[in-house]
Amino acid sequence: MDFGIFTFGELSRNAAGQALPPGQRLAEIIELAKLADQAGISILGLGEHHRRDFALSAPEIVLAAIARETTNLRLSTAVTVLSTQDPVRLFEQFATLDLVSGGRAEIIVGRGAFIESYPLFGYDTADYDALFDEKLRMLLELRENAGLNWEGRLTQSIPGMDIAPRPLQEKLPVWVGVGGTPASFARAGRLGLPLFVALLSGPERFRRLVELYRHSAEEAGHDAAALPVGAGGHFYVAPTSQQARDTFYPYYRQYFEQNMPRAVDHFPRSTFDDWSEPGGGLLVGSPQQVVEKLLAIHEALGASRYMAQIGLGGLPFAETARSIELLATEIMPAVNREIGAPAPA
């Protein structure tokens, strides 16, 4: 199993009503990326949001900065809101990132749980799914063809124009990020694309949806067994379970009350503890508890990648860094031993 980290760069306020300045948050993200690269973590993902409580509206620029500070870390979005992006510009940006990084760029595309980008860029939420479907197909055509003929309905038409530069990788990886909508799982399968599942609840809820994805892939003539499935969710680990829960809860509560798409007035400790229990989707606890949850995710979904959403709710840099180190030094090796993966050379 490959392991990664991701962040939306949220700017949660503390009890005094203060949040990190965006520049400081971005600097911390770059430092965490360097730490992850040195620790042997495989992937970094940056989310796209267009609100004042997030620092990441242009992930590709931050990924380019990280590319020059790292050597092995794969550089991805988590996710790109493709429905409100120009697929041509997106492909150009990530082809350029691929060249700058020596072939380490990836894209995870999704429809977006946050919808502020639709009016911001002049799109109608009534076209929420149709925009994504057409733009995803256009992006895949861009990936396949250096000269593109495209007849658009919601997108522009392109009469045989150059698409440049081309990436260093023969085929720029494009994953589809999904929540819980069955049609989204089925579409990713029909297109034969890798799947990234956002786990806001336990993995058993998604078992049948991933089966639908694989069945849809097989019906469309793809080798479902060869299609990777990734999963990701909220994450914090500390030496003991009690320490992890006591440390993380105040910050997680801030995240839920301030930064979620539909913020809540109060996020109680009892709910947090329930979600942290075995079977829940929140990976918070000791290394052994997190290992057990990751093995359950692997068993339920056949996941070959897990990405941990780190630093939520204004969690201090030092706590986030320690959590990443425990992921790299204790959790990753233990999970891969249990699933029988070969040790790295």
Side-chain angles (χ1 to χ4, degrees):
M1 184 181 283
D2 287 330
F3 287 89
I5 59 171
F6 73 101
T7 178
F8 297 159
E10 67 279 349
L11 302 169
S12 302
R13 301 181 304 278
N14 60 23
Q18 299 170 325
L20 284 181
Q24 184 178 344
R25 184 76 165 105
L26 293 175
E28 287 192 356
I29 289 169
I30 293 170
E31 289 303 311
L32 291 171
K34 290 163 63 176
L35 173 64
D37 189 50
Q38 293 161 6
I41 287 171
S42 299
I43 313 114
L44 168 78
L46 300 183
E48 173 199 347
H49 294 87
H50 300 271
R51 295 179 4 182
R52 69 179 63 188
D53 54 332
F54 292 90
L56 285 167
S57 62
E60 60 280 350
I61 293 177
V62 184
L63 290 170
I66 291 170
R68 308 308 295 170
E69 299 286 342
T70 57
T71 56
N72 298 307
L73 201 63
R74 295 197 63 80
L75 305 170
S76 180
T77 51
V79 300
T80 290
V81 185
L82 182 59
S83 304
T84 56
Q85 289 265 11
D86 180 339
V88 176
R89 194 67 179 132
L90 179 68
F91 183 85
E92 290 175 342
Q93 288 167 339
F94 277 83
T96 303
L97 176 64
D98 202 52
L99 294 169
V100 168
S101 66
R104 293 186 280 137
E106 295 187 4
I107 309 174
I108 304 176
V109 297
R111 297 184 301 175
F114 293 72
I115 59 171
E116 72 279 351
S117 63
Y118 288 80
L120 185 63
F121 296 116
Y123 293 98
D124 190 339
T125 52
D127 296 324
Y128 181 74
D129 189 68
L131 278 165
F132 180 77
D133 188 76
E134 182 171 331
K135 290 189 175 189
L136 177 55
R137 293 175 189 278
M138 185 181 186
L139 179 62
L140 298 179
E141 288 291 324
L142 290 160
R143 184 173 70 163
E144 297 295 329
N145 298 289
L148 183 65
N149 280 292
W150 176 261
E151 186 69 32
R153 187 177 70 86
L154 295 171
T155 59
Q156 71 272 35
S157 295
I158 300 175
M161 299 182 70
D162 290 341
I163 306 301
R166 304 306 294 177
L168 183 62
Q169 297 176 85
E170 182 177 352
K171 185 174 285 191
L172 191 66
V174 175
W175 293 58
V176 176
V178 293
T181 306
S184 296
F185 286 80
R187 172 168 44 211
R190 287 194 304 272
L191 293 173
L193 295 174
L195 186 76
F196 178 75
V197 184
L199 294 177
L200 290 179
S201 60
E204 285 301 324
R205 178 194 167 205
F206 296 92
R207 185 190 288 267
R208 289 191 178 275
L209 291 169
V210 173
E211 290 172 356
L212 171 63
Y213 161 73
R214 294 197 171 102
H215 177 70
S216 300
E218 288 172 357
E219 283 198 326
H222 304 293
D223 181 1
L227 292 177
V229 172
H234 302 159
F235 178 96
Y236 176 71
V237 63
T240 69
S241 171
Q242 196 64 46
Q243 184 180 354
R245 293 191 186 193
D246 290 347
T247 299
F248 191 53
Y249 169 67
Y251 299 101
Y252 197 59
R253 175 180 173 179
Q254 287 174 178
Y255 177 73
F256 250 79
E257 293 177 357
Q258 297 176 34
N259 304 115
M260 288 293 282
R262 290 167 290 278
V264 298
D265 292 332
H266 177 62
F267 183 76
R269 176 67 187 256
S270 58
T271 300
F272 171 82
D273 286 334
D274 286 345
W275 290 4
S276 302
E277 290 295 319
L282 182 56
L283 270 66
V284 170
S286 67
Q288 183 56 39
Q289 288 174 315
V290 172
V291 166
E292 291 167 3
K293 282 199 168 186
L294 285 166
L295 292 172
I297 291 168
H298 175 73
E299 190 280 328
L301 308 182
S304 58
R305 172 184 286 192
Y306 182 82
M307 293 180 67
Q309 187 174 355
I310 48 93
L312 292 161
L315 185 74
F317 178 89
E319 293 291 343
T320 304
R322 181 176 65 170
S323 189
I324 292 171
E325 289 172 350
L326 287 171
L327 172 63
T329 60
E330 297 193 26
I331 294 169
M332 287 166 40
V335 169
N336 283 322
R337 279 196 304 270
E338 289 292 329
I339 66 176

